[in-house]
Structure formats: C-alpha cells, structure tokens
Amino acid sequence: RDGALRRLVTGELRSGEGMAKPYGLAVRQGRLYVGDTVNRHVALFDLAGQRYKRIGIDDPGGLRMPFGIDIDDA
C-alpha cells in the first residue's frame, strides 16, 4: 500500500519529508497551508512560486498542535 515491499525488493529510497498527521487546511492566492499535528508545523505549498516551506518549527513561535487554520489579508 505505501510501497514498502517495492522499496525492499528494488532498493528504492523514499524521498521527501512527508506529513505525519495532516489536519486542517486553508487556501489563499495559490498557496495551500496544511497543519501537521504530529510534526507540529504548518506546511506551506506555494503552487505559483513552486516553493515549499514549514512554518512554526522554530522558537519563539513554535506550534504545539496546528489545526483549524485560517488565513487573513496580513
């Protein structure tokens, strides 16, 4: 289902960071914000700019359990 057997047999490596438990999302101006309640950050997928960023992983400003995401003009 997740490709574990294929990787075991072929030696293929899993790449990317992935999300542990995505919960809540918001979309604004071509940007997708997804809260990850286990990894304690918000993933920002900037589709137009073709960028990926994690928000809320550094102190001060670290997140404990991001969910119920909303985006305002600021």
Side-chain angles (χ1 to χ4, degrees):
R1 182 166 118 171
D2 69 353
L5 178 60
R6 182 187 70 239
R7 286 191 303 279
L8 177 67
V9 172
T10 65
E12 175 186 341
L13 298 176
R14 180 179 277 186
S15 64
E17 294 177 19
M19 298 189 80
K21 190 171 182 181
Y23 189 94
L25 63 94
V27 178
R28 183 169 177 85
Q29 298 178 344
R31 295 182 180 134
L32 173 65
Y33 300 81
V34 183
D36 189 331
T37 58
V38 171
N39 289 326
R40 298 179 169 183
H41 69 267
V42 172
L44 165 59
F45 299 91
D46 184 350
L47 306 178
Q50 297 182 335
R51 294 179 302 175
Y52 168 78
K53 180 178 177 180
R54 294 182 300 166
I55 301 168
I57 57 174
D58 296 322
D59 284 326
L63 300 173
R64 291 183 53 108
M65 188 174 286
F67 61 93
I69 298 172
D70 196 8
I71 308 298
D72 65 11
D73 290 335

